[in-house]
Amino acid sequence: MANFSSALILLFVFITSSIAVSATVFTLQNSCPYTIWPGILSGNSNTLGDGGFPLTPGASKQLTAPQGWSGRFWPRTGCSFDFSGNGNCVTGDCGGVLKCIGGGVPPTTLAEFTVGTGVSGKDFYDVSLVDGYNVEMGIKPQGGSGDCKYAGCVADVNAVCPNELRIMDPKTGTVAACKSACAAFNSPEFCCTGAHATPQTCSPTRYSAVFKNACPSAYSYAYDDATSTFTCAGANYLITFCPTRS
């Protein structure tokens, strides 16, 4: 009987351990004083949160992703949708629908993830301003092992955005977002294309420096990997819009 009980205990430990590493929980928290409509694009068939939903000030929502999930989250602002989920957003719009089936229209801040597989599989994550910026955003690992560092952009880049990169909110007349230089000028040196398509030939620019100085741990241009990609194993993640500055 003792051996049978021990076997049951070992089986229980194995099952619970497997469950613990079988899924990753993302908690999306809105700390902004206005509603955010998170957009979600999955890189495989596992769509999270139906692709998008409203998140009122102070609200949060948990989403569970399976092993191997990859995708991105981004904030949409100034949205208006009817009962059918059709409408538009001032920033981050994804085809005029509440439940995104494609990516958001730049400029928008991005949180990007590739969830690991297996007990020791690493997750890769980053906050990217390569496509521009619209809202402060942070990623905080919860639990897990490895480096597991905070990633994000907690500065108001709109406040320091150069005039030529600004997107204005037609309703309020304020800066709603800050375009990337690539989107603004569509030239190879800013887009890392053509003769500038390698890490050796595409360097930071005075425009990417605006983003990097404001948000040192976020991607500021395509080859900004060294200081902008983070790893953690077996963690859940808190993704905060308008995180508290520390």
Side-chain angles (χ1 to χ4, degrees), residues 125-127 137-141 149-154 217-218 228 230:
Y125 59 97
D126 66 80
V127 168
M137 198 172 185
I139 301 172
K140 182 180 180 180
K149 294 179 180 178
Y150 183 89
C153 180
V154 301
S217 69
S228 308
F230 300 89

Side-chain angles (χ1 to χ4, degrees), residues 8-246:
L8 283 177
I9 292 172
L10 288 172
L11 179 61
F12 175 77
V13 171
F14 172 78
I15 291 174
T16 54
S17 297
S18 298
I19 292 173
V21 299
S22 65
T24 298
V25 177
F26 295 106
T27 301
L28 277 64
Q29 170 73 43
N30 183 13
S31 294
C32 300
Y34 47 85
T35 299
I36 294 290
W37 288 260
I40 307 162
L41 180 64
S42 298
N44 45 41
S45 60
N46 296 293
T47 301
L48 302 187
D50 293 325
F53 49 86
L55 206 58
T56 56
S60 64
K61 186 178 181 69
Q62 289 191 332
L63 305 172
T64 302
Q67 289 190 46
W69 183 84
S70 64
R72 54 176 50 178
F73 304 87
W74 70 94
R76 292 177 288 171
T77 64
C79 301
S80 178
F81 296 104
D82 62 22
F83 289 110
S84 299
N86 297 310
N88 58 74
C89 300
V90 174
T91 68
D93 192 75
C94 61
V97 294
L98 172 63
K99 299 177 179 180
C100 299
I101 56 175
V105 176
T108 183
T109 314
L110 297 174
E112 302 175 312
F113 287 88
T114 298
V115 176
T117 57
V119 176
S120 59
K122 285 184 178 180
D123 303 332
F124 291 83
Y125 59 97
D126 66 80
V127 168
S128 175
L129 307 180
V130 174
D131 289 336
Y133 164 99
N134 64 337
V135 174
E136 303 98 315
M137 198 172 185
I139 301 172
K140 182 180 180 180
Q142 298 178 312
S145 60
D147 289 339
C148 302
K149 294 179 180 178
Y150 183 89
C153 180
V154 301
D156 182 6
V157 177
N158 287 339
V160 295
C161 184
N163 289 336
E164 58 270 34
L165 302 184
R166 291 179 176 178
I167 296 289
M168 306 304 293
D169 186 329
K171 298 177 183 177
T172 65
T174 60
V175 181
C178 191
K179 290 189 289 187
S180 68
C182 175
F185 308 116
N186 193 31
S187 57
E189 64 268 31
F190 296 129
C191 298
C192 294
T193 56
H196 299 268
T198 68
Q200 293 74 32
T201 58
C202 192
S203 302
T205 68
R206 66 186 181 92
Y207 291 111
S208 68
V210 171
F211 294 107
K212 198 64 177 178
N213 290 338
C215 302
S217 69
Y219 264 89
S220 60
Y221 75 107
Y223 294 113
D224 197 10
D225 304 80
T227 59
S228 308
T229 299
F230 300 89
T231 61
C232 190
N236 295 317
Y237 296 92
L238 174 63
I239 302 170
T240 305
F241 303 106
C242 300
T244 302
R245 293 169 176 79
S246 58

